[in-house]
């Protein structure tokens, strides 16, 4: 959420010029991509942890 909050912080400083708006939109897209990457990596890592824990439980429950 902190990645997306940066957009709100920058909005008041947005000037009226076309260049300012264009730069803000480019930066906004970058933040969106960064936010998406963060969520995807979090989900991937969480799935890896769950898979590893599942494997460990299976190994513990398997008799020798």
């Amino acid at each position: 959420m902190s990645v997306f909050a940066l957009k709100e912080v920058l909005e008041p400083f947005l000037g009226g010029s076309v260049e300012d708006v264009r730069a803000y939109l480019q930066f906004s897209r970058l933040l969106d991509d960064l936010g998406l990457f963060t969520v995807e990596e979090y989900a991937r890592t969480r799935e890896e942890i769950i898979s590893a824990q599942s494997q460990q439980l299976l190994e513990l429950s398997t008799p020798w």
Side-chain angles (χ1 to χ4, degrees), residues 2-58:
S2 60
V3 171
F4 298 117
L6 186 56
K7 286 183 183 180
E8 293 177 22
V9 171
L10 293 176
E11 280 181 24
F13 299 104
L14 187 61
S17 72
V18 174
E19 293 83 21
D20 288 345
V21 173
R22 192 170 288 139
Y24 174 79
L25 289 175
Q26 288 175 342
F27 187 68
S28 180
R29 284 188 204 113
L30 176 66
L31 288 178
D32 290 343
D33 291 343
L34 180 59
L36 181 60
F37 174 77
T38 302
V39 169
E40 288 174 344
E41 284 300 306
Y42 172 78
R44 184 186 61 78
T45 303
R46 185 184 66 205
E47 291 300 320
E48 287 177 0
I49 290 171
I50 291 171
S51 178
Q53 289 173 342
S54 177
Q55 183 64 31
Q56 290 170 355
L57 284 173
L58 183 62

